[in-house]
Coordinates of all heavy atoms in Angstrom, one line a residue:
T278 N -7.3 -7.6 -24.3 CA -7.4 -7.8 -25.7 C -6.7 -6.6 -26.4 O -7.1 -5.4 -26.1 CB -8.9 -7.9 -26.1 OG1 -9.4 -9.0 -25.4 CG2 -9.0 -8.1 -27.6
F279 N -5.8 -6.8 -27.3 CA -5.1 -5.8 -28.0 C -5.8 -5.3 -29.3 O -5.3 -5.4 -30.4 CB -3.7 -6.3 -28.3 CG -2.8 -6.6 -27.1 CD1 -2.9 -7.7 -26.4 CD2 -2.0 -5.6 -26.6 CE1 -2.2 -7.9 -25.2 CE2 -1.2 -5.7 -25.5 CZ -1.4 -6.9 -24.8
E280 N -7.0 -4.8 -29.0 CA -7.9 -4.4 -30.1 C -7.5 -3.2 -30.8 O -7.6 -3.0 -32.0 CB -9.3 -4.2 -29.5 CG -10.4 -4.2 -30.5 CD -10.6 -5.5 -31.2 OE1 -10.7 -6.5 -30.6 OE2 -10.6 -5.5 -32.5
D281 N -6.9 -2.2 -30.0 CA -6.6 -0.9 -30.6 C -5.1 -0.8 -30.9 O -4.6 0.3 -31.3 CB -7.0 0.2 -29.6 CG -8.5 0.2 -29.4 OD1 -9.2 -0.1 -30.3 OD2 -8.9 0.5 -28.2
A282 N -4.4 -1.9 -30.8 CA -2.9 -1.8 -31.1 C -2.7 -1.7 -32.6 O -3.5 -2.2 -33.4 CB -2.2 -3.1 -30.5
S283 N -1.5 -1.2 -33.0 CA -1.2 -1.1 -34.4 C 0.0 -2.0 -34.7 O 0.7 -2.4 -33.7 CB -0.8 0.4 -34.7 OG -1.9 1.2 -34.4
E284 N 0.2 -2.3 -35.9 CA 1.4 -3.1 -36.4 C 2.7 -2.5 -35.9 O 2.9 -1.3 -36.1 CB 1.4 -3.1 -37.9 CG 2.6 -3.8 -38.5 CD 2.4 -5.3 -38.8 OE1 1.2 -5.7 -38.7 OE2 3.3 -6.0 -39.2
G285 N 3.5 -3.2 -35.2 CA 4.8 -2.8 -34.7 C 4.7 -2.3 -33.2 O 5.8 -2.0 -32.7
D286 N 3.5 -2.1 -32.6 CA 3.5 -1.7 -31.2 C 4.1 -2.7 -30.3 O 3.9 -3.9 -30.5 CB 2.0 -1.4 -30.8 CG 1.5 -0.1 -31.3 OD1 2.3 0.7 -31.8 OD2 0.3 0.2 -31.2
V287 N 4.7 -2.2 -29.3 CA 5.3 -3.1 -28.2 C 4.8 -2.6 -26.9 O 4.9 -1.4 -26.6 CB 6.8 -3.1 -28.3 CG1 7.4 -3.8 -27.1 CG2 7.3 -3.7 -29.6
F288 N 4.3 -3.5 -26.1 CA 3.8 -3.2 -24.7 C 4.7 -4.0 -23.7 O 4.6 -5.2 -23.6 CB 2.3 -3.7 -24.6 CG 1.4 -3.0 -25.5 CD1 1.3 -3.4 -26.9 CD2 0.6 -1.9 -25.1 CE1 0.4 -2.8 -27.7 CE2 -0.3 -1.3 -26.0 CZ -0.3 -1.7 -27.3
R289 N 5.5 -3.2 -23.0 CA 6.4 -3.8 -22.0 C 5.7 -3.7 -20.6 O 5.1 -2.7 -20.3 CB 7.7 -3.0 -22.0 CG 8.4 -2.9 -23.3 CD 9.8 -2.4 -23.3 NE 10.0 -1.2 -22.5 CZ 11.1 -0.5 -22.5 NH1 12.2 -1.0 -23.2 NH2 11.3 0.6 -21.8
Y290 N 5.8 -4.8 -19.9 CA 5.1 -4.9 -18.6 C 6.0 -5.5 -17.6 O 7.0 -6.1 -17.9 CB 3.7 -5.6 -18.7 CG 3.8 -7.0 -19.1 CD1 4.0 -8.0 -18.2 CD2 3.8 -7.4 -20.5 CE1 4.1 -9.4 -18.5 CE2 3.9 -8.8 -20.8 CZ 4.0 -9.7 -19.8 OH 4.1 -11.1 -20.2

Side-chain angles (χ1 to χ4, degrees):
T278 301
F279 291 84
E280 196 66 52
D281 298 325
S283 301
E284 175 93 8
D286 280 350
V287 173
F288 298 80
R289 307 193 307 188
Y290 64 88

